[in-house]
Amino acid sequence: MNTLIGSYECKVDTKGRLMLPSGLKKQMLPILEEGFVLKRSVFQPCLELYPMSQWNLLMEKMNGLNRFNKKNNDFIRKFSAGVKMIEVDANGRLLIPKDLISFASIEKEIVVSSAINIVEIWDKDKYESVVSESEDFADLAEDVMGFETNE
C-alpha cells in the first residue's frame, strides 16, 4: 500500500459501527482482508486505524526497544493501551469498541481522515477545532519540511 488520500464526514451508529466511506474503501480494497489495528492516538484525542502491514512494520521497530529500560517499558505499555484488532465486515463496516469511542469523545458525527499510510478517526467537532487552530500552518510546514533537500 502506498498512501491513502482524503477526508470524509461520516456517522457512527448507536452500536459504534462505522461504514467506511466508499472513496476510502476503494483505496483499501487490497488490504481489507488482512485486517486492521485500532488504537488511541499519542498526540491527539482521536483514533488511528493501521492496516495490519503498517502495524507490523511499527511493531518491528518497537520490538527493538530494550524492555529493561523503564522509559521504554512505560512507553510500550502506554502506546499499546486500548489497542484492538479490527475487521471490516461484508457490508464495509467496522466496529469501534466503546472504550475507544470514549477516549476520542466520539458522538455521532465523525471525520475519517487519511494520514499518509494510516487513517485517523475523529469526532467531527474536535477535528474541525484542531484543523482550524490558530497556529500558523505555513510556519509549521517550514519547521517540519523546510530543511528537506530534493534528492
Side-chain angles (χ1 to χ4, degrees), residues 84-96:
K84 305 281 192 292
M85 290 185 66
I86 301 290
E87 292 184 7
V88 177
D89 70 14
N91 295 320
R93 297 177 302 191
L94 60 89
L95 178 65
I96 303 172

Side-chain angles (χ1 to χ4, degrees), residues 38-57:
L38 187 63
K39 68 173 288 304
R40 302 171 185 186
S41 173
V42 172
F43 299 109
Q44 299 290 341
C46 70
L47 305 176
E48 297 173 340
L49 182 69
Y50 286 78
M52 195 56 73
S53 59
Q54 294 299 314
W55 180 256
N56 289 336
L57 289 172

Side-chain angles (χ1 to χ4, degrees), residues 70-139:
K70 184 176 180 337
K71 283 185 179 180
N72 291 353
N73 207 33
D74 291 348
F75 170 77
I76 291 168
R77 181 178 310 103
K78 289 180 181 184
F79 181 85
S80 59
V83 169
K84 305 281 192 292
M85 290 185 66
I86 301 290
E87 292 184 7
V88 177
D89 70 14
N91 295 320
R93 297 177 302 191
L94 60 89
L95 178 65
I96 303 172
K98 290 188 186 312
D99 63 323
L100 294 179
I101 284 176
S102 178
F103 169 81
S105 302
I106 291 174
E107 299 285 328
K108 184 174 182 157
E109 304 277 329
I110 64 169
V111 173
V112 177
S113 181
S114 62
I116 303 176
N117 56 1
I118 67 169
V119 173
E120 293 180 339
I121 301 171
W122 287 83
D123 172 77
K124 183 181 177 194
D125 291 338
K126 287 193 180 304
Y127 179 79
E128 289 174 357
S129 174
V130 168
V131 170
S132 66
E133 279 180 356
S134 62
E135 181 178 344
D136 187 355
F137 182 67
D139 289 341

